[in-house]
Amino acid sequence: MKIRLSAVAFDPWQEIQRHEADQPELAGKFGATTVFVGTLRDFNQGAGVRAMTLEHYAPMTEKYLRRVAEEAASRWPIEDLLVIHRHGELGPGDPIVCVAVWSAHRDAAFAACRYVIDELKTRAPFWKQELTETGRRWVEQEKQ
């Protein structure tokens, strides 16, 4: 299980390949890999978005992300889990989050992946500020 907060851009597909390569003991143990990649849209709430700044308090955020990953691992029979989440300044099209789940079966992989991303979207301690055509604005977290 790997959790990483990143201040720099990342390629989710390269990260997944690297993660699998670094885990040779996983080979043959999974029959399903479910991946969610969230990217910054160029619109939100009826306005064009030029950029977004994601702020967080690292110790609190890392602890929360690890807890969510451990909850998923305890609820579904998964082999491994990867979460990478950006912070700092992002532009439209930039990956914000990557969640990948490896499991012997697709149902567990899908369920665990959905659980993790839903928890991150609704409860993770990130503060989002968008830059729109009319200036900066804070964005409220999604409701579950």
Side-chain angles (χ1 to χ4, degrees), residues 81-141:
L81 189 144
L82 171 67
V83 177
I84 303 170
H85 205 299
R86 276 288 309 273
H87 59 91
E89 189 80 14
L90 294 98
D94 286 350
I96 301 171
V97 62
C98 174
V99 177
V101 178
W102 291 263
S103 179
H105 303 285
R106 69 181 178 273
D107 287 343
F110 275 118
C113 189
R114 178 161 195 125
Y115 174 79
V116 171
I117 194 60
D118 284 351
E119 286 294 308
L120 296 184
K121 289 292 290 179
T122 58
R123 295 192 178 113
F126 286 99
W127 298 274
K128 301 175 184 179
Q129 188 181 66
E130 293 176 336
L131 175 61
T132 69
E133 296 93 10
T134 59
R136 294 195 170 271
R137 67 180 182 187
W138 290 99
V139 180
E140 290 187 35
Q141 263 186 329

Side-chain angles (χ1 to χ4, degrees), residues 28-95:
K29 294 190 188 229
F30 62 93
T33 306
T34 302
V35 177
F36 175 87
V37 176
T39 56
L40 182 62
R41 296 184 305 254
D42 66 355
F43 65 93
N44 191 32
Q45 300 174 350
V49 174
R50 295 181 180 165
M52 180 172 67
T53 303
L54 271 170
E55 297 180 4
H56 73 108
Y57 176 62
M60 181 170 59
T61 306
E62 289 169 6
K63 182 178 178 180
Y64 181 80
L65 296 179
R66 180 147 314 276
R67 188 180 84 216
V68 169
E70 289 170 354
E71 287 172 1
S74 72
R75 292 177 71 169
W76 293 279
I78 64 174
E79 297 299 325
D80 202 6
L81 189 144
L82 171 67
V83 177
I84 303 170
H85 205 299
R86 276 288 309 273
H87 59 91
E89 189 80 14
L90 294 98
D94 286 350

Side-chain angles (χ1 to χ4, degrees), residues 3-23:
I3 310 295
R4 190 175 98 215
L5 295 167
S6 179
V8 297
F10 65 91
D11 179 323
W13 312 111
Q14 288 180 357
E15 295 291 341
I16 291 164
Q17 287 180 331
R18 184 176 304 119
H19 185 78
E20 285 184 355
D22 290 345
Q23 312 285 332

